[in-house]
Every structure is written in structure tokens, then in C-alpha cells.
Amino acid sequence: MASRELETHSPEETIERGREIGAGLKPPVLILLAGDLGAGKTTLTKGIASGMGAAGEDEVTSPTFTLVHQYGREPRVYHVDLYRVRDFQDLETLGLEDLFSSPAAVIIEWAEKFSLRTGWPIVRIHLEHISEDTRRISISDSDEASGSG
């Protein structure tokens, strides 16, 4: 398991770090994003989707009301926002297990509300709001599929 920490000082820099993260990912992968409201989860996702070649950062928007957005064909990237999910029953009605039926990148905001199990490699990213434009991004990779995480 590898861990690293970055700091960004603008939304553009957060997108750029996301691009770098996305460029290094290979589906299937589950990306779990955690952090307070306004910490930069959607901004980072814009970069990750762009870095994976699935969408331009201007195409990526928060799925707060639709709950799931899909970008790209190969690799397909799903962006899920669980902010409005109250409990396991809410989570079950989303049918998220269908997203894991073929290799993709699944990015989940409010990951602490995600309780499904998958054998996919997991990247956990925690964003922390340090000041108006400064974000601390902590990343840990684990290969859950091989049991080494």
C-alpha cells in the first residue's frame, strides 16, 4: 500500500493533480473520495476523468441531484455523489453494483456512505480544506483484489 500527500493552491492546480492521478489509473479501479463540503472532491474528479481520457474537465459536473454521471466509452468513468444518500436502503436503490459489471473507474464522493464490497483495487483520497484556495490531498492505494491491502 502506497500513501502520498499533496497540497494545491487553486482549483486549477487541484484539477491538474487530478489529471496526474487519473493518468496513472487503469480500470477496473474504485476511487473513494472523502472530505468536507467544499473540500474539492468534484474539482479533483474533473482532473481524474480528464487524465483518464474519459471527459474534458469542463464536462464533469457534480452529480448531487442525479447521483451518478457516466463519462467516456473506453475507459468508462462513473462519478457517484452519495451526499443525499441517507441509509443502506437509499444506497441499494441506486443499483451501484451494476457499475462493477465491466472494467471501469468508479469515483465515489462521500465514500464514508459507500458500503458495497468489490474485489477491485481501491484508491482512497481524502481532501482537506486548509484555507480559501489551499487543499491537502491524501492518497492511499490498496490492491484489495490481491489481498495485499
Side-chain angles (χ1 to χ4, degrees), residues 6-54:
L6 326 158
E7 220 173 73
T8 63
H9 304 284
S10 69
E12 295 75 24
E13 192 179 354
T14 300
I15 290 171
E16 184 55 39
R17 295 294 84 74
R19 258 194 227 106
E20 292 165 6
I21 293 165
L25 296 176
K26 186 171 176 356
V29 63
L30 174 61
I31 301 122
L32 299 175
L33 301 178
D36 292 338
L37 197 61
K41 296 178 293 295
T42 300
T43 303
L44 188 70
T45 298
K46 288 172 179 278
I48 293 172
S50 173
M52 295 189 78

Side-chain angles (χ1 to χ4, degrees), residues 120-149:
W120 287 12
I122 296 174
V123 177
R124 296 176 196 281
I125 302 176
H126 185 267
L127 292 98
E128 192 177 347
H129 190 180
I130 303 300
S131 67
E132 187 176 336
D133 288 325
T134 304
R135 303 292 184 269
R136 181 176 298 126
I137 303 169
S138 305
I139 305 163
S140 59
D141 309 330
S142 61
D143 190 356
E144 304 257 326
S146 69
S148 66

Side-chain angles (χ1 to χ4, degrees), residues 1-143:
M1 174 137 134
S3 282
R4 62 189 189 273
E5 205 169 87
L6 326 158
E7 220 173 73
T8 63
H9 304 284
S10 69
E12 295 75 24
E13 192 179 354
T14 300
I15 290 171
E16 184 55 39
R17 295 294 84 74
R19 258 194 227 106
E20 292 165 6
I21 293 165
L25 296 176
K26 186 171 176 356
V29 63
L30 174 61
I31 301 122
L32 299 175
L33 301 178
D36 292 338
L37 197 61
K41 296 178 293 295
T42 300
T43 303
L44 188 70
T45 298
K46 288 172 179 278
I48 293 172
S50 173
M52 295 189 78
E57 59 261 13
D58 55 336
E59 297 172 64
V60 177
T61 58
S62 174
T64 300
F65 295 100
T66 55
L67 304 181
V68 180
H69 284 171
Q70 174 186 318
Y71 300 104
R73 294 184 188 279
E74 292 296 323
R76 183 160 286 151
V77 173
Y78 295 100
H79 179 199
V80 181
D81 186 330
L82 299 181
Y83 181 70
R84 298 190 178 286
V85 169
R86 292 182 309 268
D87 53 32
F88 185 71
Q89 283 180 316
D90 274 2
L91 189 63
E92 272 192 316
T93 63
L94 290 177
L96 294 181
E97 54 279 344
D98 296 345
L99 304 183
F100 298 98
S101 62
S102 60
V106 178
I107 303 169
I108 298 184
E109 293 191 32
W110 302 99
E112 58 276 10
K113 297 182 177 193
F114 182 71
S115 56
L116 298 177
R117 292 237 172 255
T118 173
W120 287 12
I122 296 174
V123 177
R124 296 176 196 281
I125 302 176
H126 185 267
L127 292 98
E128 192 177 347
H129 190 180
I130 303 300
S131 67
E132 187 176 336
D133 288 325
T134 304
R135 303 292 184 269
R136 181 176 298 126
I137 303 169
S138 305
I139 305 163
S140 59
D141 309 330
S142 61
D143 190 356

